[in-house]
Structure formats: C-alpha cells, structure tokens
Amino acid sequence: MDRLSEYQRKRDFDRTREPAGSSVRKGRRRSLRFVIQKHAASHLHFDLRLELDGVMKSWAVPRGPSLDPANRRLAMHVEDHPIEYNTFEGTIPKGEYGGGTVMLWDRGTYVPDEPRPGEAEADAVRRGLKAGKLSFSLHGERLLGSFALIRTGGRGGAGSPRQWLLIKHRDEHATSGPDATDVFITSVETGRTMDEIARAAGGGEGGGAGSEAGDEMMVPMRATPARGLPESGAWTFEPWRGGVRVLAWAATDGTAMVDEAGRGVGGYPEIAGELADLARRLGGPVVLEGEIAADDDGGEAFFVADILLAGEEVLAPRPWVERRAALEEVLKRRRLNRVRRPENDADPARILERAAAAGWPGMLARRQDGPYQPSEQTDALLRITG
Ligand code: MN
C-alpha cells in the first residue's frame, strides 16, 4: 500500500476516472509488463511504466522514446502507479492532477538484459534501478529491442535525482528513421487519436492536442535545426534542456503562456504568480520567451532567454544584444524562485559542457544582431544537437 500512497495523495478519485489502485498486486506471472501512455497534460509527454514488485515504476519522458541510439531522451522518475493503470485510456478532468488526455500508446512485456546467473528478473530490475542504470528489452506491439535507463541527476552531480535518460541501444531494432512517436499516432488499444479520445469523453474536456490553437496566436520564434556550430556571425549560446519553449505574457491582471504549437500552457501556478508579480512591479505588461524545464531541485522552472515587450517598450525588432540588456534590467534585483535568470555565453564550449554533464539534448544559438520574430522560423535562431 505504501508504495502507492504518493499516487493516491495526488488524486481525487471522486473526480478522476483513473484507477484508485486499492492494492499492490503481487504478480505470479513470469513476464514483467510494461506500458507507455501518451499524455497531453499541461504539456505533452509519454509515460513509461515498468512493472516491479506489484506496481508500475514510472518515468515521464517529455519527447517520448526514440529508436535512434543518438537520441538521449530526458525521463523524469515519477511516483509508482497501480498495475490497473495499464489499461487506463481517457481523460483526467481539468484542474485535477495530470489533467488532460491519456492514450495507451504501447504495451507488452520486458526483461532485464543483464541478470546475474540464477537471478530472478525482478531482482535484476530492482538492482539496476537502485544502481541508476537499467538495461532492458521491450517486447511491445510497437517498440522492440534493448534500451537503457540511466540516472544522471543527484549523487553530487548536477540536476535532480529524479532525472534519468532513456536511450536506445544499438541492435537490429534501432533506426535513425522517423521517430516511432511520430509514426504511431493512435491508441494501441482502441485505434483512436488523442482528439478522438478527448471528444469521446464529452465536452472536449481534457483538451486534445491543438484544440486550443488560435490562428492569430503568437508563438515562440521557431528554431532552425542545425547539426554543427554556425560558421559566421556573432552568436550567443544557451542551454536547450528539452523542455517546453513558451512565450509568456504577464500583465498586472494575469498571465498566459503559449507553446510552439500555440497551445496554452498551464499548471505552473508558482511561475505564473512570479510573472504576474513582475508585471505589477514594472507597472505594465512584459512578454518573455524561454523554456519550462526541470530544475536542479526537481521542480519545474521558467528559464528566461529573451524579452519582446517591457511596459511601453517594444523590444522585439531590436537586436538581441539590446534585448538582453533590457531583460537584465527587468529581472534585476527581483526575488524570483521559479523564474530563472538567463544563462548564455558567446563561447559555445561552456554551454556544450554543461549540456553534456546535465544530459540536455543540445543548445540554442541566437544571432547577436538578429531581431525577435514571433512565430517565424528563422536562421537567427538555431537548435544545435549532435
Ligand atoms: Mn503523465
């Protein structure tokens, strides 16, 4: 029972149709089960769940699993879920914990790759998780082959102890082609899309992906993918943590955040509160761009990278160096906890080093003389990976 207490504490089972998980099931079956759920909550992610000791050990993987060994996917260890969760597909009411649409995306069994002679599978899994490195093979309907879960945070290192990486091993199932998460967009159980699951729940509750997108909505400037460093021009480099890039509007009477797809981003009351406070102190609206991502302490923070508007001052058309100075001025001497000062460097080496140490997927590069162009894909902003 204890293992599910965090799961149960976070949920109101009078309001959500998720299973209450009344018991920890001692499994007698020989094969350990796994399930992957696609979950459009405050931001879209995939939940990887591995059966162990009568519960589902769970990781939230913001970008989902990849079959390409070159992709190291951030996986945040979250609370154990009940075995009954393996068949849950539907919507969690807005305002409840994890509110949004849940799709059964893949399921099957898994085995640890490196059991010791005579060691039971569950014992090998438990040992791997405790050591912070588990190699396991999935026998799913969509995902096959060997993966590693590697804990990167905590233990004197940077980052939260909840922070792991999910990486595909090189084997006959590895591929650098399109990601499985892009190929398979329907439920493995019902064949439904996210929108169909949300609609079936009635009233559009849970908000299927894209349902809140507005045509006129300004979204963050889109980065051009790049493999290497830019060859000419003056640039500034900043970490890309693999989180959600947002534009944040803060006014004296409220805040709003929008992701790259134009969806409203909610569920961060502390960040919203601090942004509203910032606008009140400035006596006018402020529009910021940055990334919501896991912080070193295990919470989520808004890592601010750019500024478009400060009160009456429209900063977007001005070169980055001027925006940067304005941003420093706006954040100066503010007591902020979940809104973080920008981190950037004209030398990519330091940022690359930080990214490698923290397991971030890469970095962003902004042209120092470039304007901010909301919603545009521009070569004044690069997303550098690999
Ligand atoms: Mn989830």
Side-chain angles (χ1 to χ4, degrees), residues 43-124:
H43 54 270
L44 184 69
H45 60 274
F46 290 74
D47 291 297
L48 168 67
R49 310 191 196 282
L50 302 177
E51 179 182 3
L52 182 67
D53 297 332
V55 296
M56 300 304 288
K57 308 304 272 184
S58 297
W59 289 260
V61 186
R63 299 186 64 207
S66 175
L67 292 172
D68 184 346
N71 291 333
R72 296 140 53 94
R73 293 288 160 85
L74 176 69
M76 293 303 283
H77 194 193
V78 299
E79 75 273 17
D80 295 345
H81 278 52
I83 300 270
E84 297 97 295
Y85 214 91
N86 289 1
T87 55
F88 179 74
E89 176 170 289
T91 59
I92 302 167
K94 269 189 182 159
E96 296 303 300
Y97 181 76
T101 307
V102 177
M103 171 196 282
L104 276 167
W105 187 80
D106 198 14
R107 62 188 168 191
T109 60
Y110 79 99
V111 292
D113 291 335
E114 295 155 341
R116 290 174 179 157
E119 189 179 30
E121 285 183 358
D123 293 337

Side-chain angles (χ1 to χ4, degrees), residues 78-292:
V78 299
E79 75 273 17
D80 295 345
H81 278 52
I83 300 270
E84 297 97 295
Y85 214 91
N86 289 1
T87 55
F88 179 74
E89 176 170 289
T91 59
I92 302 167
K94 269 189 182 159
E96 296 303 300
Y97 181 76
T101 307
V102 177
M103 171 196 282
L104 276 167
W105 187 80
D106 198 14
R107 62 188 168 191
T109 60
Y110 79 99
V111 292
D113 291 335
E114 295 155 341
R116 290 174 179 157
E119 189 179 30
E121 285 183 358
D123 293 337
V125 173
R126 204 179 304 110
R127 179 169 55 78
L129 292 180
K130 196 164 174 225
K133 183 177 184 300
L134 174 68
S135 183
F136 60 101
S137 290
L138 295 180
H139 305 283
E141 295 181 36
R142 291 169 174 175
L143 294 188
L144 293 166
S146 173
F147 289 78
L149 267 171
I150 297 165
R151 184 166 56 221
T152 59
R155 301 252 165 122
S160 151
R162 297 193 304 129
Q163 194 169 309
W164 296 61
L165 290 175
L166 177 66
I167 305 169
K168 180 80 192 71
H169 281 137
R170 291 192 189 283
D171 59 17
E172 70 271 30
H173 302 292
T175 169
S176 56
D179 260 330
T181 50
D182 293 328
V183 173
F184 300 107
I185 58 165
T186 57
S187 164
V188 72
E189 165 78 19
T190 62
R192 296 181 297 177
T193 63
M194 293 296 273
D195 275 338
E196 285 165 348
I197 295 167
R199 273 204 301 275
E205 200 175 53
S211 63
E212 291 171 59
D215 289 339
E216 305 300 318
M217 186 75 83
M218 272 210 301
V219 301
M221 180 158 71
R222 294 173 207 277
T224 300
R227 275 283 168 183
L229 296 171
E231 285 174 18
S232 63
W235 295 80
T236 177
F237 300 89
E238 69 200 39
W240 174 42
R241 295 171 168 81
V244 183
R245 289 188 63 228
V246 298
L247 271 189
W249 279 262
T252 49
D253 58 353
T255 65
M257 292 194 281
V258 172
D259 72 9
E260 287 174 294
R263 287 184 294 254
V265 175
Y268 301 102
E270 277 188 272
I271 294 172
E274 288 185 14
L275 290 173
D277 199 38
L278 197 59
R280 274 192 295 274
R281 284 157 190 264
L282 282 171
V286 56
V287 180
L288 303 172
E289 186 240 69
E291 182 182 17
I292 294 178

